[in-house]
Coordinates of all heavy atoms in Angstrom, one line a residue:
M1 N 5.7 -10.7 -71.2 CA 4.4 -10.2 -71.8 C 3.3 -10.3 -70.7 O 3.2 -11.4 -70.1 CB 4.1 -11.1 -72.9 CG 2.7 -10.8 -73.6 SD 2.6 -11.6 -75.2 CE 1.5 -12.9 -74.8
A2 N 2.6 -9.3 -70.4 CA 1.6 -9.3 -69.4 C 0.3 -9.9 -70.0 O -0.1 -9.5 -71.1 CB 1.3 -7.9 -68.9
E3 N -0.3 -10.8 -69.2 CA -1.5 -11.4 -69.7 C -2.7 -10.6 -69.1 O -2.7 -10.2 -68.0 CB -1.6 -12.8 -69.1 CG -0.6 -13.7 -69.8 CD -0.8 -15.2 -69.3 OE1 -1.9 -15.5 -68.9 OE2 0.2 -15.9 -69.4
D4 N -3.7 -10.4 -69.9 CA -5.0 -9.8 -69.5 C -5.9 -10.9 -69.0 O -6.3 -11.7 -69.7 CB -5.6 -9.0 -70.6 CG -4.8 -7.9 -71.1 OD1 -4.0 -7.3 -70.3 OD2 -4.9 -7.5 -72.3
K5 N -6.2 -10.8 -67.7 CA -7.1 -11.8 -67.1 C -8.4 -11.2 -66.9 O -8.6 -10.0 -66.5 CB -6.6 -12.3 -65.8 CG -5.4 -13.2 -65.9 CD -5.2 -13.9 -64.5 CE -4.2 -15.0 -64.7 NZ -4.0 -15.7 -63.4
K6 N -9.5 -12.0 -67.2 CA -10.8 -11.5 -67.0 C -11.1 -11.6 -65.5 O -10.8 -12.5 -64.8 CB -11.8 -12.3 -67.7 CG -11.8 -12.2 -69.2 CD -12.8 -13.1 -69.9 CE -12.7 -13.1 -71.4 NZ -13.6 -14.0 -72.0
D7 N -11.8 -10.6 -65.0 CA -12.2 -10.6 -63.6 C -13.6 -11.3 -63.5 O -14.6 -10.9 -64.0 CB -12.4 -9.1 -63.1 CG -12.6 -9.1 -61.6 OD1 -12.3 -10.1 -60.9 OD2 -13.1 -8.1 -61.1
H8 N -13.6 -12.4 -62.8 CA -14.8 -13.2 -62.6 C -15.5 -12.9 -61.3 O -16.3 -13.7 -60.8 CB -14.4 -14.7 -62.7 CG -13.9 -15.1 -64.0 ND1 -14.7 -15.2 -65.1 CD2 -12.7 -15.4 -64.5 CE1 -14.0 -15.6 -66.2 NE2 -12.8 -15.7 -65.8
G9 N -15.2 -11.8 -60.7 CA -15.8 -11.5 -59.4 C -14.9 -11.9 -58.3 O -14.0 -12.7 -58.4
P10 N -15.2 -11.3 -57.1 CA -14.3 -11.6 -56.0 C -14.5 -13.0 -55.4 O -15.7 -13.4 -55.2 CB -14.7 -10.5 -55.0 CG -16.0 -10.1 -55.3 CD -16.1 -10.3 -56.8
R11 N -13.5 -13.7 -55.2 CA -13.6 -15.1 -54.6 C -13.8 -15.0 -53.1 O -14.3 -16.0 -52.6 CB -12.3 -15.8 -54.9 CG -12.2 -17.2 -54.4 CD -11.3 -18.1 -55.2 NE -11.2 -19.4 -54.6 CZ -12.1 -20.4 -54.6 NH1 -13.2 -20.2 -55.2 NH2 -11.8 -21.5 -54.0
W12 N -13.5 -13.9 -52.5 CA -13.7 -13.8 -51.0 C -15.1 -13.9 -50.6 O -15.4 -14.3 -49.5 CB -13.1 -12.5 -50.5 CG -13.7 -11.3 -51.0 CD1 -13.4 -10.5 -52.1 CD2 -14.8 -10.6 -50.3 NE1 -14.2 -9.5 -52.2 CE2 -15.1 -9.5 -51.1 CE3 -15.6 -10.9 -49.2 CZ2 -16.2 -8.6 -50.8 CZ3 -16.6 -10.0 -48.9 CH2 -16.9 -8.9 -49.7
I13 N -16.1 -13.6 -51.5 CA -17.5 -13.8 -51.2 C -17.8 -15.2 -50.9 O -18.5 -15.6 -50.0 CB -18.4 -13.2 -52.3 CG1 -18.1 -11.7 -52.3 CG2 -19.8 -13.5 -52.0 CD1 -18.9 -11.0 -53.5
K14 N -17.4 -16.1 -51.8 CA -17.6 -17.5 -51.7 C -17.0 -18.1 -50.4 O -17.6 -18.8 -49.6 CB -17.1 -18.3 -52.9 CG -17.4 -19.8 -52.8 CD -17.0 -20.5 -54.1 CE -17.3 -21.9 -54.1 NZ -16.9 -22.6 -55.3
T15 N -15.8 -17.6 -50.1 CA -15.1 -18.1 -48.9 C -15.8 -17.6 -47.7 O -16.0 -18.3 -46.7 CB -13.6 -17.5 -48.9 OG1 -13.0 -18.0 -50.1 CG2 -12.8 -18.0 -47.7
A16 N -16.2 -16.3 -47.7 CA -17.0 -15.8 -46.5 C -18.3 -16.5 -46.3 O -18.6 -16.8 -45.1 CB -17.2 -14.3 -46.7
E17 N -19.0 -16.8 -47.4 CA -20.2 -17.6 -47.2 C -20.0 -19.0 -46.6 O -20.8 -19.4 -45.8 CB -20.9 -17.8 -48.6 CG -21.6 -16.5 -49.0 CD -22.2 -16.7 -50.4 OE1 -21.8 -17.6 -51.2 OE2 -23.1 -15.9 -50.7
N18 N -18.9 -19.6 -47.0 CA -18.6 -20.9 -46.5 C -18.2 -20.9 -45.0 O -18.7 -21.7 -44.2 CB -17.5 -21.6 -47.3 CG -18.0 -22.0 -48.7 OD1 -19.2 -22.2 -48.9 ND2 -17.1 -22.1 -49.6
R19 N -17.4 -19.9 -44.7 CA -17.0 -19.8 -43.3 C -18.2 -19.4 -42.4 O -18.3 -19.9 -41.3 CB -15.9 -18.7 -43.2 CG -14.6 -19.3 -43.7 CD -13.5 -18.3 -43.6 NE -12.3 -18.8 -44.2 CZ -11.2 -18.1 -44.3 NH1 -11.1 -16.9 -43.9 NH2 -10.1 -18.7 -44.9
V20 N -19.0 -18.5 -42.8 CA -20.2 -18.1 -42.0 C -21.1 -19.3 -41.8 O -21.7 -19.6 -40.8 CB -20.9 -16.9 -42.7 CG1 -22.3 -16.7 -42.0 CG2 -20.1 -15.7 -42.5
G21 N -21.3 -20.1 -42.9 CA -22.1 -21.3 -42.8 C -21.6 -22.3 -41.8 O -22.3 -22.9 -41.0
I22 N -20.3 -22.5 -41.8 CA -19.7 -23.5 -40.9 C -19.8 -23.0 -39.4 O -20.2 -23.7 -38.5 CB -18.2 -23.7 -41.2 CG1 -18.1 -24.5 -42.5 CG2 -17.5 -24.5 -40.1 CD1 -16.7 -24.6 -43.1
I23 N -19.6 -21.7 -39.2 CA -19.8 -21.1 -37.9 C -21.2 -21.2 -37.4 O -21.5 -21.6 -36.2 CB -19.3 -19.6 -37.9 CG1 -17.8 -19.6 -38.0 CG2 -19.7 -18.9 -36.6 CD1 -17.2 -18.2 -38.3
M24 N -22.2 -21.0 -38.3 CA -23.6 -21.1 -37.9 C -24.0 -22.5 -37.6 O -24.7 -22.8 -36.7 CB -24.5 -20.5 -39.0 CG -24.5 -19.0 -39.2 SD -25.5 -18.4 -40.5 CE -27.1 -18.6 -39.7
M25 N -23.4 -23.5 -38.3 CA -23.7 -24.9 -38.1 C -23.1 -25.3 -36.7 O -23.8 -26.0 -35.9 CB -23.1 -25.8 -39.2 CG -23.8 -25.6 -40.5 SD -25.4 -26.2 -40.6 CE -25.1 -27.9 -40.6
M26 N -21.9 -24.8 -36.4 CA -21.3 -25.1 -35.0 C -22.2 -24.5 -33.9 O -22.4 -25.1 -32.9 CB -19.9 -24.7 -35.0 CG -19.0 -25.6 -35.8 SD -17.2 -25.2 -35.5 CE -17.0 -23.7 -36.4
A27 N -22.6 -23.2 -34.1 CA -23.4 -22.6 -33.1 C -24.8 -23.3 -33.0 O -25.3 -23.3 -31.9 CB -23.6 -21.1 -33.5
G28 N -25.3 -23.9 -34.1 CA -26.5 -24.6 -34.0 C -26.4 -25.9 -33.2 O -27.3 -26.3 -32.4
V29 N -25.2 -26.5 -33.3 CA -24.9 -27.7 -32.4 C -24.9 -27.3 -31.0 O -25.4 -28.0 -30.1 CB -23.6 -28.4 -32.9 CG1 -23.2 -29.5 -31.9 CG2 -23.8 -29.0 -34.3
V30 N -24.3 -26.2 -30.7 CA -24.2 -25.7 -29.3 C -25.6 -25.3 -28.8 O -26.0 -25.7 -27.7 CB -23.3 -24.4 -29.2 CG1 -23.4 -23.7 -27.9 CG2 -21.9 -24.8 -29.5
A31 N -26.4 -24.7 -29.7 CA -27.8 -24.4 -29.3 C -28.6 -25.7 -29.0 O -29.5 -25.7 -28.1 CB -28.5 -23.6 -30.3
A32 N -28.4 -26.7 -29.8 CA -29.0 -28.0 -29.6 C -28.6 -28.6 -28.2 O -29.5 -29.2 -27.5 CB -28.7 -29.0 -30.7
G33 N -27.4 -28.5 -27.9 CA -26.9 -28.9 -26.5 C -27.6 -28.1 -25.4 O -28.0 -28.7 -24.4
L34 N -27.7 -26.8 -25.6 CA -28.4 -26.0 -24.6 C -29.9 -26.4 -24.6 O -30.5 -26.3 -23.5 CB -28.3 -24.5 -25.0 CG -26.9 -24.0 -24.8 CD1 -26.8 -22.5 -25.3 CD2 -26.4 -24.1 -23.4
L35 N -30.5 -26.7 -25.7 CA -31.9 -27.2 -25.7 C -32.1 -28.4 -24.9 O -33.0 -28.5 -24.0 CB -32.3 -27.5 -27.2 CG -33.7 -28.2 -27.4 CD1 -34.8 -27.3 -26.9 CD2 -33.9 -28.5 -28.8
I36 N -31.2 -29.4 -25.0 CA -31.3 -30.6 -24.3 C -31.1 -30.4 -22.8 O -31.8 -30.9 -21.9 CB -30.3 -31.7 -24.8 CG1 -30.7 -32.1 -26.2 CG2 -30.2 -32.9 -23.9 CD1 -29.6 -32.9 -26.9
T37 N -30.2 -29.5 -22.5 CA -29.9 -29.1 -21.1 C -31.1 -28.4 -20.5 O -31.5 -28.7 -19.3 CB -28.7 -28.2 -21.0 OG1 -27.6 -28.9 -21.5 CG2 -28.4 -27.8 -19.5
A38 N -31.7 -27.5 -21.2 CA -32.9 -26.8 -20.7 C -34.1 -27.7 -20.5 O -34.8 -27.6 -19.5 CB -33.3 -25.6 -21.7
L39 N -34.3 -28.7 -21.4 CA -35.3 -29.7 -21.3 C -35.1 -30.5 -20.1 O -36.0 -30.9 -19.3 CB -35.4 -30.5 -22.6 CG -36.1 -29.8 -23.8 CD1 -36.0 -30.8 -25.0 CD2 -37.5 -29.5 -23.5
G40 N -33.9 -30.9 -19.9 CA -33.5 -31.8 -18.7 C -33.7 -31.1 -17.4 O -34.0 -31.7 -16.4
G41 N -33.5 -29.8 -17.4 CA -33.6 -29.0 -16.2 C -35.0 -28.5 -15.9 O -35.2 -27.9 -14.8
G42 N -35.9 -28.7 -16.8 CA -37.2 -28.2 -16.6 C -37.5 -26.8 -16.9 O -38.5 -26.2 -16.5
F43 N -36.6 -26.1 -17.6 CA -36.8 -24.7 -18.0 C -37.4 -24.6 -19.4 O -36.8 -24.5 -20.4 CB -35.4 -24.0 -18.1 CG -34.7 -24.1 -16.8 CD1 -33.6 -24.9 -16.6 CD2 -35.1 -23.3 -15.7 CE1 -32.9 -25.0 -15.4 CE2 -34.4 -23.3 -14.5 CZ -33.3 -24.2 -14.3
S44 N -38.8 -24.7 -19.4 CA -39.5 -24.7 -20.7 C -39.3 -23.4 -21.5 O -39.3 -23.5 -22.7 CB -41.0 -25.0 -20.4 OG -41.6 -24.0 -19.7
G45 N -39.2 -22.3 -20.9 CA -39.1 -21.0 -21.6 C -37.7 -21.0 -22.3 O -37.7 -20.6 -23.5
W46 N -36.7 -21.4 -21.6 CA -35.3 -21.4 -22.3 C -35.3 -22.5 -23.3 O -34.5 -22.4 -24.3 CB -34.3 -21.6 -21.2 CG -34.0 -20.4 -20.4 CD1 -34.3 -20.2 -19.1 CD2 -33.4 -19.2 -20.9 NE1 -33.9 -18.9 -18.7 CE2 -33.3 -18.3 -19.8 CE3 -32.9 -18.8 -22.1 CZ2 -32.8 -17.0 -19.9 CZ3 -32.4 -17.5 -22.2 CH2 -32.3 -16.7 -21.2
A47 N -36.0 -23.6 -23.1 CA -36.0 -24.7 -24.1 C -36.7 -24.2 -25.4 O -36.2 -24.5 -26.5 CB -36.8 -25.9 -23.6
W48 N -37.7 -23.4 -25.3 CA -38.3 -22.8 -26.5 C -37.3 -21.9 -27.3 O -37.2 -21.9 -28.5 CB -39.6 -22.0 -26.2 CG -40.8 -22.9 -26.1 CD1 -41.4 -23.3 -24.9 CD2 -41.5 -23.5 -27.1 NE1 -42.4 -24.1 -25.2 CE2 -42.5 -24.3 -26.6 CE3 -41.4 -23.5 -28.5 CZ2 -43.4 -25.0 -27.3 CZ3 -42.3 -24.2 -29.3 CH2 -43.3 -25.0 -28.7
I49 N -36.6 -21.1 -26.5 CA -35.7 -20.1 -27.1 C -34.5 -20.9 -27.7 O -34.1 -20.6 -28.9 CB -35.1 -19.2 -26.0 CG1 -36.2 -18.2 -25.6 CG2 -33.9 -18.4 -26.6 CD1 -35.9 -17.4 -24.4
A50 N -34.0 -21.9 -27.1 CA -32.9 -22.7 -27.6 C -33.4 -23.5 -28.8 O -32.6 -23.7 -29.8 CB -32.3 -23.7 -26.6
G51 N -34.6 -24.0 -28.8 CA -35.2 -24.7 -30.0 C -35.3 -23.9 -31.2 O -34.9 -24.3 -32.3
V52 N -35.8 -22.6 -31.0 CA -35.9 -21.7 -32.2 C -34.5 -21.4 -32.7 O -34.2 -21.3 -33.9 CB -36.7 -20.5 -31.8 CG1 -36.6 -19.4 -32.8 CG2 -38.1 -20.8 -31.5
A53 N -33.5 -21.1 -31.7 CA -32.2 -20.8 -32.1 C -31.5 -21.9 -32.9 O -30.8 -21.7 -33.9 CB -31.4 -20.4 -30.9
T54 N -31.8 -23.1 -32.4 CA -31.2 -24.3 -33.1 C -31.7 -24.4 -34.6 O -30.9 -24.6 -35.5 CB -31.6 -25.6 -32.4 OG1 -31.1 -25.5 -31.1 CG2 -31.0 -26.8 -33.1
I55 N -33.0 -24.2 -34.8 CA -33.6 -24.3 -36.1 C -33.1 -23.2 -37.0 O -32.7 -23.4 -38.1 CB -35.1 -24.2 -36.0 CG1 -35.6 -25.5 -35.4 CG2 -35.7 -24.1 -37.4 CD1 -37.1 -25.5 -35.0
V56 N -33.0 -21.9 -36.5 CA -32.5 -20.8 -37.2 C -31.1 -20.9 -37.6 O -30.7 -20.7 -38.8 CB -32.8 -19.5 -36.5 CG1 -32.1 -18.3 -37.1 CG2 -34.3 -19.2 -36.4
L57 N -30.2 -21.3 -36.7 CA -28.8 -21.4 -36.9 C -28.5 -22.6 -37.9 O -27.7 -22.4 -38.8 CB -28.0 -21.6 -35.6 CG -28.0 -20.3 -34.7 CD1 -27.4 -20.7 -33.4 CD2 -27.1 -19.3 -35.4
I58 N -29.0 -23.7 -37.7 CA -28.7 -24.8 -38.6 C -29.3 -24.6 -40.0 O -28.7 -24.8 -41.0 CB -29.2 -26.2 -38.0 CG1 -28.3 -26.5 -36.8 CG2 -29.2 -27.3 -39.0 CD1 -28.7 -27.8 -36.1
G59 N -30.5 -24.1 -40.0 CA -31.1 -23.7 -41.3 C -30.3 -22.6 -42.1 O -30.1 -22.7 -43.3
G60 N -30.0 -21.6 -41.3 CA -29.2 -20.5 -42.0 C -27.8 -21.0 -42.4 O -27.3 -20.6 -43.4
G61 N -27.2 -21.9 -41.6 CA -25.9 -22.5 -42.0 C -26.0 -23.3 -43.2 O -25.1 -23.2 -44.1
L62 N -27.0 -24.1 -43.4 CA -27.2 -24.9 -44.6 C -27.4 -24.0 -45.8 O -26.9 -24.3 -46.9 CB -28.4 -25.9 -44.4 CG -28.1 -27.1 -43.5 CD1 -29.4 -27.9 -43.3 CD2 -27.0 -28.0 -44.0
L63 N -28.3 -23.0 -45.6 CA -28.5 -22.1 -46.8 C -27.2 -21.3 -47.2 O -27.0 -21.1 -48.4 CB -29.6 -21.1 -46.4 CG -31.0 -21.8 -46.3 CD1 -32.0 -20.7 -45.9 CD2 -31.4 -22.4 -47.7
S64 N -26.4 -20.9 -46.2 CA -25.2 -20.2 -46.5 C -24.2 -21.1 -47.2 O -23.6 -20.7 -48.2 CB -24.6 -19.7 -45.2 OG -23.4 -19.0 -45.5
L65 N -24.1 -22.4 -46.8 CA -23.2 -23.3 -47.4 C -23.7 -23.6 -48.9 O -22.9 -23.8 -49.8 CB -23.1 -24.6 -46.6 CG -22.3 -24.5 -45.4 CD1 -22.4 -25.8 -44.6 CD2 -20.8 -24.2 -45.6
R66 N -25.0 -23.7 -49.0 CA -25.6 -24.0 -50.4 C -25.3 -22.8 -51.3 O -25.0 -23.0 -52.5 CB -27.1 -24.2 -50.2 CG -27.7 -24.5 -51.5 CD -29.2 -24.8 -51.3 NE -29.9 -25.1 -52.6 CZ -30.6 -24.2 -53.2 NH1 -30.8 -23.0 -52.7 NH2 -31.1 -24.4 -54.4
A67 N -25.4 -21.6 -50.8 CA -25.2 -20.4 -51.6 C -23.7 -20.3 -52.0 O -23.4 -19.9 -53.1 CB -25.5 -19.1 -50.8
G68 N -22.8 -20.7 -51.1 CA -21.4 -20.7 -51.4 C -21.1 -21.8 -52.5 O -20.2 -21.6 -53.3
A69 N -21.8 -22.9 -52.4 CA -21.5 -24.0 -53.4 C -22.1 -23.6 -54.7 O -21.5 -24.0 -55.8 CB -22.1 -25.3 -52.9
L70 N -23.2 -22.9 -54.8 CA -23.8 -22.6 -56.1 C -23.1 -21.4 -56.8 O -23.4 -21.2 -58.0 CB -25.3 -22.3 -55.9 CG -26.1 -23.5 -55.5 CD1 -27.6 -23.0 -55.3 CD2 -26.1 -24.6 -56.5
R71 N -22.4 -20.6 -56.0 CA -21.7 -19.4 -56.6 C -20.7 -19.9 -57.6 O -19.9 -20.7 -57.4 CB -21.1 -18.6 -55.5 CG -20.4 -17.3 -56.1 CD -19.9 -16.4 -55.0 NE -21.0 -15.9 -54.1 CZ -21.8 -14.9 -54.4 NH1 -21.7 -14.3 -55.5 NH2 -22.8 -14.6 -53.6
K72 N -20.8 -19.3 -58.8 CA -19.8 -19.7 -59.8 C -18.4 -19.3 -59.5 O -18.2 -18.2 -59.1 CB -20.2 -19.1 -61.2 CG -21.3 -19.8 -61.9 CD -21.4 -19.3 -63.3 CE -22.4 -20.1 -64.0 NZ -22.5 -19.8 -65.4
G73 N -17.5 -20.2 -59.6 CA -16.1 -19.9 -59.4 C -15.5 -19.4 -60.7 O -16.2 -19.1 -61.7
E74 N -14.2 -19.2 -60.6 CA -13.5 -18.7 -61.8 C -13.6 -19.8 -62.9 O -13.3 -21.0 -62.7 CB -12.1 -18.4 -61.5 CG -11.9 -17.3 -60.6 CD -10.5 -16.9 -60.3 OE1 -9.6 -17.3 -61.1 OE2 -10.2 -16.2 -59.4
T75 N -14.0 -19.4 -64.1 CA -14.0 -20.3 -65.2 C -13.0 -19.9 -66.3 O -13.1 -18.8 -66.8 CB -15.4 -20.3 -65.9 OG1 -15.8 -18.9 -66.2 CG2 -16.5 -20.8 -64.9
G76 N -12.1 -20.7 -66.5 CA -11.1 -20.4 -67.5 C -11.5 -21.0 -68.8 O -12.6 -21.6 -68.9
P77 N -10.8 -20.7 -69.9 CA -11.2 -21.2 -71.2 C -11.0 -22.7 -71.2 O -10.2 -23.3 -70.6 CB -10.2 -20.5 -72.1 CG -9.0 -20.2 -71.3 CD -9.5 -19.9 -69.9
I78 N -11.8 -23.3 -72.1 CA -11.7 -24.8 -72.3 C -10.7 -25.0 -73.4 O -10.9 -24.4 -74.5 CB -13.1 -25.4 -72.7 CG1 -14.1 -25.2 -71.6 CG2 -12.9 -26.8 -73.0 CD1 -15.5 -25.6 -72.0
L79 N -9.7 -25.7 -73.1 CA -8.7 -26.0 -74.2 C -8.9 -27.4 -74.6 O -9.1 -28.3 -73.9 CB -7.2 -25.8 -73.6 CG -6.9 -24.4 -73.1 CD1 -5.5 -24.4 -72.5 CD2 -7.0 -23.4 -74.2
Y80 N -8.8 -27.6 -76.0 CA -9.1 -28.9 -76.6 C -7.9 -29.2 -77.4 O -7.4 -28.5 -78.3 CB -10.3 -28.8 -77.4 CG -10.6 -30.0 -78.2 CD1 -11.0 -31.2 -77.6 CD2 -10.6 -30.0 -79.6 CE1 -11.2 -32.3 -78.3 CE2 -10.9 -31.1 -80.3 CZ -11.2 -32.3 -79.7 OH -11.5 -33.4 -80.4
H81 N -7.3 -30.4 -77.2 CA -6.2 -31.0 -77.9 C -6.7 -32.2 -78.7 O -6.9 -33.2 -78.1 CB -5.1 -31.4 -77.0 CG -4.5 -30.4 -76.1 ND1 -3.5 -29.5 -76.5 CD2 -4.8 -30.1 -74.8 CE1 -3.2 -28.7 -75.5 NE2 -4.0 -29.0 -74.5
P82 N -7.0 -32.0 -80.0 CA -7.6 -33.2 -80.7 C -6.8 -34.4 -80.7 O -7.0 -35.3 -79.9 CB -7.9 -32.6 -82.1 CG -7.5 -31.2 -82.1 CD -6.8 -30.9 -80.8
D83 N -5.8 -34.5 -81.6 CA -4.9 -35.7 -81.6 C -3.5 -35.3 -81.5 O -2.6 -36.1 -81.3 CB -5.1 -36.5 -82.9 CG -6.5 -37.2 -83.0 OD1 -7.0 -37.5 -81.9 OD2 -7.0 -37.3 -84.1
S84 N -3.2 -34.1 -81.8 CA -1.8 -33.6 -81.8 C -1.6 -32.5 -80.7 O -2.4 -31.6 -80.6 CB -1.5 -33.0 -83.2 OG -0.3 -32.4 -83.1
P85 N -0.5 -32.6 -80.0 CA -0.3 -31.5 -79.0 C 0.1 -30.2 -79.7 O 0.1 -29.2 -79.0 CB 0.9 -32.1 -78.2 CG 1.5 -33.1 -79.0 CD 0.5 -33.6 -79.9
D86 N 0.4 -30.2 -81.0 CA 0.7 -29.0 -81.7 C -0.6 -28.2 -82.0 O -0.5 -27.0 -82.2 CB 1.4 -29.3 -83.0 CG 2.7 -30.0 -82.8 OD1 3.3 -29.7 -81.7 OD2 3.2 -30.7 -83.7
V87 N -1.7 -28.8 -81.9 CA -3.0 -28.1 -82.3 C -3.8 -27.9 -80.9 O -4.1 -28.9 -80.3 CB -3.9 -28.9 -83.2 CG1 -5.2 -28.3 -83.5 CG2 -3.1 -29.2 -84.5
V88 N -4.0 -26.7 -80.6 CA -4.8 -26.3 -79.4 C -5.9 -25.4 -79.8 O -5.7 -24.4 -80.5 CB -3.9 -25.7 -78.3 CG1 -4.7 -25.3 -77.1 CG2 -2.7 -26.5 -78.0
L89 N -7.1 -25.8 -79.4 CA -8.3 -25.0 -79.7 C -9.0 -24.5 -78.4 O -9.0 -25.2 -77.4 CB -9.3 -25.8 -80.5 CG -8.7 -26.4 -81.8 CD1 -9.8 -27.4 -82.4 CD2 -8.4 -25.3 -82.8
D90 N -9.5 -23.3 -78.5 CA -10.4 -22.8 -77.4 C -11.8 -23.2 -77.8 O -12.3 -23.0 -78.9 CB -10.3 -21.2 -77.3 CG -9.0 -20.8 -76.8 OD1 -8.4 -21.5 -76.0 OD2 -8.6 -19.7 -77.1
V91 N -12.6 -23.6 -76.8 CA -14.0 -23.9 -77.0 C -14.9 -22.9 -76.3 O -14.7 -22.7 -75.1 CB -14.3 -25.4 -76.5 CG1 -15.7 -25.7 -76.7 CG2 -13.4 -26.4 -77.2
D92 N -15.8 -22.3 -77.0 CA -16.7 -21.4 -76.4 C -17.7 -22.1 -75.5 O -18.3 -23.1 -76.0 CB -17.4 -20.6 -77.5 CG -18.3 -19.5 -76.9 OD1 -18.2 -19.2 -75.7 OD2 -19.1 -18.9 -77.7
R93 N -17.9 -21.7 -74.2 CA -18.8 -22.4 -73.3 C -20.2 -22.3 -73.7 O -21.0 -23.3 -73.4 CB -18.6 -21.9 -71.9 CG -17.3 -22.2 -71.3 CD -17.2 -21.8 -69.8 NE -15.9 -22.1 -69.3 CZ -15.6 -23.2 -68.7 NH1 -16.4 -24.2 -68.7 NH2 -14.3 -23.4 -68.3
E94 N -20.7 -21.3 -74.3 CA -22.1 -21.1 -74.7 C -22.5 -21.9 -76.0 O -23.5 -22.6 -76.1 CB -22.5 -19.6 -74.8 CG -22.7 -18.9 -73.5 CD -21.4 -18.4 -72.9 OE1 -20.5 -18.1 -73.7 OE2 -21.3 -18.4 -71.7
T95 N -21.7 -21.6 -77.0 CA -22.0 -22.2 -78.3 C -21.3 -23.5 -78.7 O -21.8 -24.2 -79.5 CB -21.7 -21.1 -79.4 OG1 -20.3 -20.9 -79.4 CG2 -22.4 -19.9 -79.2
G96 N -20.1 -23.7 -78.1 CA -19.4 -24.9 -78.4 C -18.5 -24.7 -79.6 O -17.9 -25.7 -80.1
N97 N -18.4 -23.5 -80.2 CA -17.6 -23.3 -81.3 C -16.1 -23.3 -80.9 O -15.7 -22.9 -79.9 CB -17.9 -21.9 -81.9 CG -19.3 -21.8 -82.5 OD1 -19.9 -22.9 -82.9 ND2 -19.9 -20.6 -82.5
R98 N -15.3 -23.9 -81.9 CA -13.9 -24.0 -81.6 C -13.1 -23.0 -82.5 O -13.5 -22.7 -83.6 CB -13.4 -25.4 -82.0 CG -14.1 -26.4 -81.1 CD -13.7 -27.8 -81.5 NE -14.4 -28.8 -80.7 CZ -14.6 -30.0 -81.0 NH1 -14.1 -30.5 -82.1 NH2 -15.3 -30.8 -80.2
S99 N -12.1 -22.4 -81.8 CA -11.3 -21.4 -82.5 C -9.8 -21.7 -82.1 O -9.6 -22.2 -81.1 CB -11.7 -20.0 -82.2 OG -11.6 -19.8 -80.8
P100 N -8.9 -21.3 -83.0 CA -7.5 -21.5 -82.6 C -7.1 -20.8 -81.3 O -7.5 -19.7 -81.0 CB -6.7 -20.9 -83.8 CG -7.7 -20.9 -84.9 CD -9.0 -20.7 -84.3
H101 N -6.3 -21.4 -80.5 CA -5.9 -20.9 -79.2 C -4.8 -19.8 -79.4 O -3.8 -20.1 -80.2 CB -5.4 -22.0 -78.3 CG -4.9 -21.5 -77.0 ND1 -5.7 -20.9 -76.0 CD2 -3.7 -21.5 -76.4 CE1 -5.0 -20.6 -75.0 NE2 -3.8 -20.9 -75.2
H102 N -4.9 -18.7 -78.7 CA -3.9 -17.7 -78.8 C -3.4 -17.4 -77.3 O -4.2 -17.2 -76.4 CB -4.5 -16.3 -79.3 CG -5.0 -16.5 -80.7 ND1 -4.2 -16.6 -81.8 CD2 -6.3 -16.5 -81.1 CE1 -5.0 -16.7 -82.9 NE2 -6.3 -16.7 -82.5
D103 N -2.1 -17.5 -77.1 CA -1.5 -17.3 -75.8 C -1.4 -15.9 -75.5 O -1.3 -14.9 -75.9 CB -0.1 -17.9 -75.7 CG -0.2 -19.4 -75.5 OD1 -1.2 -19.9 -74.9 OD2 0.7 -20.1 -76.0

């Protein structure tokens, strides 16, 4: 018997947001290292560029990771077993109403 599954949206979007966030955070760490190097070498123009790049990359990485974490994942039905494993109920997420479970 084929089961009809609800499509809760593509999961690859959440994965892509997380990967982009991690890459941006790593690039921000590299930019911070370049900032320190430019400051130590006396290159004030490059230090400004690396400082801005550090802020943009780390900030963008944090926002991307936050967006991936806030994106709703797949939500299956809530199954409730009161006292007997023979009785299984579905619980509606919005109203909390219980109805008999159908496979």
Side-chain angles (χ1 to χ4, degrees):
M1 177 166 106
E3 292 183 23
D4 295 331
K5 287 191 170 184
K6 292 181 186 176
D7 187 19
H8 295 286
R11 178 151 172 77
W12 65 269
I13 294 175
K14 182 176 181 178
T15 304
E17 284 177 338
N18 289 336
R19 288 183 182 173
V20 167
I22 290 170
I23 290 169
M24 287 180 75
M25 294 290 287
M26 287 190 286
V29 170
V30 170
L34 292 174
L35 170 65
I36 293 170
T37 303
L39 285 174
F43 301 106
S44 62
W46 285 110
W48 278 103
I49 293 170
V52 170
T54 300
I55 292 170
V56 168
L57 287 170
I58 290 180
L62 286 174
L63 289 175
S64 180
L65 288 173
R66 181 175 179 261
L70 292 178
R71 182 173 297 281
K72 282 192 171 185
E74 293 184 17
T75 57
I78 299 174
L79 298 179
Y80 175 65
H81 303 273
D83 290 330
S84 170
D86 296 333
V87 178
V88 180
L89 302 173
D90 289 330
V91 180
D92 186 11
R93 290 188 182 271
E94 282 85 30
T95 63
N97 293 335
R98 297 177 183 161
S99 60
H101 177 68
H102 300 287
D103 284 328

